[in-house]
Amino acid sequence: MSEIKYVTVTALTKYIKRKFDVDPHLTDIWIKGEISNFNLHSRGHMYFTLKDEKARIQAVMFAGANKSLKFKPENGMKVLIRGEISVYEQSGGYQVYVKEMQPDGIGSLYLAYEELKKTLQKEGLFDPVHKKPIPKYPDQVGVITSPTGAAIRDILTTINRRYPLAKVILIPALVQGVQAGASVAKAIKQANQLNTLDVLIVGRGGGSIEELWAFNEEIVAREIFASQIPIISAVGHETDYTIADFVADLRAPTPTGAAELAVPHFSELMDRLLERKNRLKRTMREKITSNKDRLNHYQTSYAFKYPKQLYLQKEQQLDLIVERLNKEGQRAIIHKKDSFTHVKNRLANVHPKGQVKRSMEAYQLLFKKLNREMSSVLTYKHSQFNETIAKLNALSPLRVMDRGYSLVYHEKELVKSINQIEAGQMVKVQLKDGQLDCKVQGIEERSVHE
């Protein structure tokens, strides 16, 4: 008998989880159901059960996925969700991890809402640069809503309570149904044609998405954008966001909130006015007191008591000032003249014409000095030359020869000793006026000093 192999619960659960995770039909699936056992965790995650008449499945929508929800899920609400089916290993149960959620029944409307919102946003209808400021103290407030709804009552009550000075002009419009969008858009156009309204409230009370749908229609959005009157949107409750809210110059969470944003609070204005009135009185009293003090000071001053004496003193002071002014003026003129002369001399010294003249004079002096030096040098050189000539003449053999001496050459060599010559050789005797060719007949040694 073969041995039975057992697997652990963990291994089995992991195996089943892998089966879920690789199934393409379970990784991105749309499910329709009703919410029950809804629980919003303190960390923002949503846990609930999605059920229908015959089955149920656990669901979790993490905070990162549910932060963009435009509505608050609650028990009993029918929804459409998109998510991924997987196994939660700790409990061994399968559940859906919700990525997206829409209220059931308005799926097509919701898609139309998102598509129109993207289109208008791309065109710039939501751009803050187009938002008109809401006037602080409107004389006339226009209200576009149903004349029989609760919204108009809330608005009238709030405005009368806060700011009864404002006149409310009701422009009736259908705010629910097929014709509601066109009716609201027509009312906005009529309000602008009145040319008397300072601000316009457009909206209605709470309701389902379908009931509020008129304020998601393109015709209403474009009429709000084209309005010359600043518009406050007041549609549904605080959690309801419509296309009209994005296009309007200001969004109010409720019709009552719109009325509070449209007009100031009268009692607050009165308090502020009283506070400013008191401040003005206090400032006026301080100013009057200060001016009285100044007036008393002037009345007791010397000028008011003795104006003639003050006049005479001022006359004397004026004479002194005039005299001092004249002296200072003369001193200033002299100083300016000296400065002018100094500058003029400096300019003359550095003028090119003067510099050329001084250079020419220096040149003449140097030229004369050069001539004198050259004459002196030439005289000195001439004297040296004559002395040298005299010395040369004294030492010249030619001069000696003039005195009867001669020179003897043998074979072009000057004979200075008898040892250079032998008897019978031919020699040349150079005299002052010619040359003799002689033959040596004999040689006798004898000193010239004997």
Side-chain angles (χ1 to χ4, degrees), residues 208-264:
S208 64
I209 294 296
E210 294 90 337
E211 292 171 341
L212 303 180
W213 196 251
F215 298 92
N216 286 323
E217 294 188 18
E218 182 175 0
I219 186 173
V220 175
R222 295 197 180 279
E223 203 63 50
I224 291 175
F225 184 76
S227 173
Q228 299 300 315
I229 305 171
I231 291 181
I232 302 175
S233 64
V235 183
H237 300 302
E238 187 166 357
T239 56
D240 298 323
Y241 272 85
T242 64
I243 297 294
D245 293 327
F246 295 111
V247 185
D249 300 293
L250 184 64
R251 175 190 179 264
T254 61
T256 301
E260 293 175 345
L261 294 173
V263 296

Side-chain angles (χ1 to χ4, degrees), residues 38-208:
F38 180 80
N39 178 28
L40 177 61
H41 194 271
S42 58
R43 296 179 58 208
H45 306 323
M46 294 177 176
Y47 298 91
F48 55 94
T49 301
L50 192 66
K51 67 178 184 179
D52 58 17
E53 293 80 6
K54 296 181 179 179
R56 60 182 58 205
I57 181 174
Q58 296 299 317
V60 56
M61 189 173 195
F62 292 118
N66 67 45
K67 65 181 180 181
S68 59
L69 284 178
K70 300 295 188 298
F71 65 97
K72 182 179 179 181
E74 54 188 19
N75 291 325
M77 179 179 288
K78 293 182 178 180
V79 295
L80 301 173
I81 65 171
R82 184 176 69 86
E84 176 184 0
I85 307 298
S86 185
V87 173
Y88 184 57
E89 294 184 38
Q90 281 75 3
S91 64
Y94 73 94
Q95 61 184 12
V96 55
Y97 293 86
V98 181
K99 303 175 183 176
E100 186 178 342
M101 182 188 300
Q102 301 174 11
D104 188 13
I106 62 163
S108 59
L109 291 178
Y110 182 77
L111 294 177
Y113 166 86
E114 287 294 332
E115 185 176 352
L116 178 60
K117 181 181 174 184
K118 291 179 182 177
T119 300
L120 298 182
Q121 186 171 22
K122 190 175 181 181
E123 293 182 16
L125 268 68
F126 305 161
D127 197 326
V129 73
H130 299 304
K131 304 295 183 187
K132 295 179 282 296
I134 307 300
K136 291 183 178 180
Y137 311 106
D139 293 328
Q140 291 193 15
V141 179
V143 180
I144 295 177
T145 188
S146 170
T148 58
I152 184 61
R153 292 195 301 273
D154 294 341
I155 293 172
L156 289 174
T157 301
T158 303
I159 292 180
N160 288 330
R161 173 176 51 83
R162 288 174 58 88
Y163 195 67
L165 298 178
K167 181 179 180 182
V168 179
I169 306 297
L170 173 63
I171 303 171
L174 296 174
V175 294
Q176 182 177 336
V178 179
Q179 302 298 325
S183 177
V184 171
K186 181 180 178 181
I188 294 173
K189 186 174 293 183
Q190 291 175 348
N192 278 271
Q193 292 172 347
L194 292 177
N195 290 324
T196 58
L197 301 178
D198 299 306
V199 64
L200 195 57
I201 297 174
V202 179
R204 53 153 292 160
S208 64

Side-chain angles (χ1 to χ4, degrees), residues 308-324:
K308 185 176 180 181
Q309 288 79 350
L310 180 63
Y311 172 76
L312 294 176
Q313 289 180 11
K314 294 299 181 185
E315 279 288 331
Q316 189 175 354
Q317 290 178 0
L318 178 61
D319 292 341
L320 293 174
I321 291 173
V322 170
E323 183 180 355
R324 191 187 308 160

